[in-house]
Amino acid sequence: MSVTPTEPKNAESLILFARGFEPNVREGYGRNELIYACIAYKANSASQARMVVRRESDGEELEQHPLQQLIDRPNPFMTQFDLVSLTTIFLDCAGRACWEKVRSASGAVVQLWPLRPDWLHPIRDAKRFMVAYEYVVPGMNPVRIDARDVLELKLWDPLDLYAALAPVTVASRVAAVDNSATDFIKLTFEHGGVPMGVL
């Protein structure tokens, strides 16, 4: 007697998973409990450590320093905890996390905004490596951002200096198998414990 399992409903995910940020989020962070638990734990732990500005000469904490105020409230809608947490999630799912620096009329950085990493594309330059970024939100006109106004944190891909290698991408092959096995077991129980296929 042999059992031939039917193709899982999400078989396409075995092909699509690990081709970019969105599949990593949907199939890894959004569907695999181990990947979600690891990333959520890292994001929460990293966010617990508060960044502070100190005077170099004596180590005194400078609570009213403009940089401290920027870190504590990066933009009107986020706290330091939110920014660090989202940055950690982006790093794990995309291999990169990017912040846009919003400047005052005098040129001082007054806000930091996280940018969705798969919508931000470097504009390359042979002499200066990178001159700007293009932020492309689907359905909207691209926005050009000067390279000096983007802070990019990256987990380097050794094969491409412009790219990044996300931990979820590395784990995606095992995670795709785990997701499919979980779906198969779920469907088996839904069918009264009888394995699907041909006997």
Side-chain angles (χ1 to χ4, degrees):
M1 178 177 73
S2 64
V3 176
T4 305
T6 59
E7 186 175 285
K9 289 182 180 179
N10 69 325
E12 189 180 29
S13 69
L14 291 173
I15 300 170
L16 295 178
F17 196 13
R19 284 192 181 170
F21 172 69
E22 191 165 332
N24 282 354
V25 172
R26 292 188 186 281
E27 297 297 323
Y29 184 72
R31 287 193 70 228
N32 190 281
E33 67 277 8
L34 295 177
I35 288 178
Y36 175 83
C38 289
I39 294 176
Y41 183 82
K42 284 178 62 179
N44 186 61
S45 298
S47 304
Q48 298 295 328
R50 182 172 176 265
M51 291 183 284
V52 296
V53 176
R54 296 184 183 278
R55 188 161 46 218
E56 187 175 2
S57 59
D58 58 7
E60 181 183 348
E61 186 175 335
L62 306 175
E63 294 184 5
Q64 301 305 315
H65 194 281
L67 179 57
Q68 185 66 61
Q69 295 176 355
L70 176 65
I71 292 171
D72 288 340
R73 179 62 71 173
N75 61 64
F77 301 96
M78 302 182 81
T79 64
Q80 180 184 150
F81 183 99
D82 299 325
L83 184 63
V84 173
S85 180
L86 185 58
T87 297
T88 305
I89 293 170
F90 279 166
L91 277 171
D92 281 336
C93 292
R96 62 196 289 243
C98 306
W99 301 344
E100 180 183 5
K101 305 172 191 174
V102 176
R103 299 179 184 272
S104 66
S106 64
V109 178
V110 292
Q111 292 183 13
L112 296 171
W113 286 91
L115 301 172
R116 185 164 151 165
D118 59 330
W119 291 349
L120 188 71
H121 309 287
I123 298 175
R124 307 179 182 196
D125 183 88
K127 294 182 179 179
R128 291 187 290 164
F129 185 65
M130 194 182 306
V131 292
Y133 291 86
E134 193 173 59
Y135 196 57
V136 184
V137 179
M140 300 181 67
N141 292 328
V143 176
R144 186 183 174 101
I145 307 173
D146 192 278
R148 78 185 187 105
D149 290 328
V150 173
L151 175 61
E152 182 177 17
L153 308 172
K154 184 187 296 184
L155 301 176
W156 294 93
D157 181 346
L159 299 178
D160 185 351
L161 292 181
Y162 290 97
L165 185 59
V168 173
T169 297
V170 177
S172 64
R173 186 169 64 97
V174 174
V177 172
D178 182 47
N179 289 350
S180 295
T182 301
D183 289 343
F184 181 82
I185 293 169
K186 178 178 180 291
L187 288 172
T188 298
F189 279 111
E190 287 176 354
H191 288 83
V194 180
M196 297 173 295
V198 179
L199 296 182

